[in-house]
Amino acid sequence: MPIIAWMGVPQNHTNIVRFQEMKDAGITISMSNYTNSDSLQKALDIAYQLNLKVMIRCPELYNNTEKTVLRFKDHPANGGYFLLDEPITSEFPKLKELLQKIEAIDSTHFCYINLFPNVAMPELYSPIDYRNYVALFLNKIPVKILSFDHYPIVNGFIRVNWYQNLEIIQSEADKAGIHFWAFALTTAHDYYPIPDLAQLRLQVYSNLAYGAKGIQYFTYWTPTSNRWDFHKGPIDVDGSKTIVYDYLQQMNNEIQNYSLIFLTSKTIKVSHFGEIPLETKELTSLPYFVKSIKIKGGNALLSEMKNEMNYFFMIQNTNLNKEIGIDIQTDLQTKIVLKNGYIIPANLIKEEFKLTPGDMVIFMR
């Protein structure tokens, strides 16, 4: 599964040791801003040695597009072309023009544009509402992947419209016939906390439950800013590892152990139990192989996914600070897919079990 580091290894730290460190954290694509194409070339060459990708992002991509695309289109570490973060609608025409110019030369790689979340100030996508902002974007610009950012954990609470944002993105991506990528926050700033493993799981597994086919982290290397108080990213400003690096590494190991399920499956139904978030659906029915389920102690997300071979039922604890109890009865053919990749019969679990905050369990039939 693509796992993207926003602000990966910076240009002035481009060396194989730092790239190996990033790979060890579970990152597969690095996204950094290079001041020139030669610096980007150096990063691509190092990434290739480690089977990593680097997104093409340098001034020459915009002011000398044809030459730059021709230079990098066949590089084996090319991870796509970075066009813009959080565009307003007036920027759509120029983005379409740039995308078409790039894809006329290189139709193999994708062009990356990341959209605002639904918590952005409405005037940024005015005069239309958020769903229409996303729909207009997809109508005007033929991207191959839809990306958006939404950091839901603020001051110890989960934003009420986060799942609404996921519902909209999933729906519009399905209409367009493309996949979407989503974010988890790994660098604290202002009212966004230093994440722990539970917070990463909450964000990542909810994104995957809605059908995300790529996970992005903001950020890998802690940036400096005059506006935001960035601190304690996985790699701190001085280049040292923080505890968040360890959480990130564990999270990505879990993702890759489940990646075959999430990459090959289509999400067919997402419902919620307990407090029902805005514009989401309450749990009213169960998959055919689940006889009964009791959830105690808090809120839960339930996702039904299918691929060509199996039907999956995922249950996630969507509380920030408390466990939930699960008492589930299934048929004899149902199994549980464990985090280490092992598969066991579901009927081995004969009692109520606990899910810690943000965590989930996957049943397979």
Side-chain angles (χ1 to χ4, degrees):
M1 174 172 287
I3 300 179
I4 300 90
W6 262 68
M7 301 181 189
V9 175
Q11 179 175 309
N12 62 333
H13 288 271
T14 302
N15 61 64
I16 198 164
V17 174
R18 284 302 194 180
F19 270 73
Q20 182 66 57
E21 180 180 57
M22 183 170 60
K23 181 178 181 177
D24 291 343
I27 300 301
T28 67
I29 302 176
S30 178
M31 186 189 300
S32 294
N33 191 14
Y34 295 92
T35 58
N36 57 73
S37 58
D38 289 339
S39 296
L40 172 60
Q41 178 79 54
K42 180 181 178 182
L44 286 163
D45 292 344
I46 290 173
Y48 172 57
Q49 296 178 57
L50 299 172
N51 197 29
L52 294 173
K53 304 288 186 184
V54 173
M55 203 161 284
I56 307 302
R57 186 182 185 185
C58 62
E60 293 92 329
L61 181 62
Y62 316 109
N63 58 37
N64 198 347
T65 303
E66 182 176 353
K67 181 179 178 181
T68 305
V69 176
L70 285 170
R71 178 176 180 179
F72 295 122
K73 73 183 187 72
D74 294 321
H75 198 293
N78 183 333
Y81 299 94
F82 181 97
L83 270 56
L84 193 64
D85 180 34
E86 299 185 336
I88 57 176
T89 54
S90 62
E91 293 172 305
F92 289 178
K94 286 188 177 181
L95 286 170
K96 179 180 180 181
E97 181 181 346
L98 178 58
L99 179 144
Q100 290 177 331
K101 191 173 183 178
I102 292 171
E103 293 195 344
I105 304 166
D106 182 0
S107 60
T108 302
H109 298 97
F110 69 96
C111 290
Y112 176 93
I113 303 167
N114 180 61
L115 297 188
F116 281 111
N118 64 349
V119 293
M121 293 179 291
E123 57 265 28
L124 293 174
Y125 46 82
S126 182
I128 54 179
D129 65 24
Y130 183 77
R131 181 180 288 276
N132 283 322
Y133 165 71
V134 178
L136 179 65
F137 171 78
L138 292 173
N139 179 259
K140 296 292 185 182
I141 307 176
V143 291
K144 296 175 181 176
I145 293 171
L146 176 61
S147 174
F148 82 110
D149 57 71
H150 191 135
Y151 311 125
I153 302 169
V154 178
N155 292 328
F157 296 94
I158 300 171
R159 279 178 160 149
V160 296
N161 48 6
W162 174 39
Y163 287 109
Q164 176 193 44
N165 206 158
L166 276 166
E167 293 273 348
I168 292 170
I169 292 293
Q170 181 202 43
S171 172
E172 296 302 321
D174 282 350
K175 289 177 188 176
I178 61 175
H179 293 147
F180 74 89
W181 289 0
F183 273 83
L185 187 70
T186 42
T187 298
H189 54 289
D190 294 26
Y191 39 77
Y192 296 105
I194 299 171
D196 57 21
L197 183 59
Q199 292 176 17
L200 291 185
R201 282 174 169 166
L202 177 65
Q203 295 171 83
V204 168
Y205 284 134
S206 285
N207 290 332
L208 294 172
Y210 271 89
K213 302 302 182 188
I215 295 296
Q216 309 174 77
Y217 293 106
F218 186 86
T219 62
Y220 173 73
W221 201 287
T222 306
T224 57
S225 171
N226 294 325
R227 178 184 177 189
W228 299 99
D229 174 30
F230 291 117
H231 58 283
K232 292 295 182 183
I235 303 296
D236 222 334
V237 175
D238 64 2
S240 61
K241 290 181 184 178
T242 71
I243 187 62
V244 181
Y245 179 94
D246 297 327
Y247 298 147
L248 175 68
Q249 187 177 55
Q250 181 172 343
M251 185 73 256
N252 290 336
N253 285 337
E254 292 181 14
I255 293 172
Q256 295 300 8
N257 284 339
Y258 287 117
S259 63
L260 186 62
I261 294 174
F262 290 120
L263 284 176
T264 63
S265 298
K266 179 175 177 57
T267 297
I268 57 174
K269 179 183 175 184
V270 179
S271 54
H272 291 259
F273 174 88
E275 297 177 9
I276 309 304
L278 288 172
E279 295 189 23
T280 66
K281 300 173 183 66
E282 183 176 4
L283 176 67
T284 57
S285 62
L286 298 171
Y288 70 93
F289 53 89
V290 177
K291 298 176 182 179
S292 66
I293 185 170
K294 295 178 182 177
I295 301 172
K296 302 176 183 177
N299 303 324
L301 177 156
L302 305 101
S303 176
E304 299 177 37
M305 302 169 282
K306 290 179 70 174
N307 62 19
E308 292 183 356
M309 298 291 293
N310 298 103
Y311 197 122
F312 302 96
F313 184 48
M314 170 179 158
I315 308 169
Q316 184 188 17
N317 179 348
T318 53
N319 303 276
L320 266 181
N321 301 306
K322 57 183 178 180
E323 292 182 336
I324 59 172
I326 307 293
D327 187 348
I328 185 170
Q329 303 297 319
T330 68
D331 67 17
L332 295 178
Q333 289 75 43
T334 301
K335 297 177 173 25
I336 297 176
V337 184
L338 303 177
K339 283 191 172 62
N340 58 11
Y342 289 112
I343 298 172
I344 64 171
N347 61 13
L348 290 179
I349 311 298
K350 301 184 183 299
E351 300 176 346
E352 176 184 296
F353 63 91
K354 302 292 185 182
L355 280 179
T356 57
D359 207 359
M360 63 87 191
V361 61
I362 294 181
F363 293 85
M364 179 180 75
R365 179 65 161 84

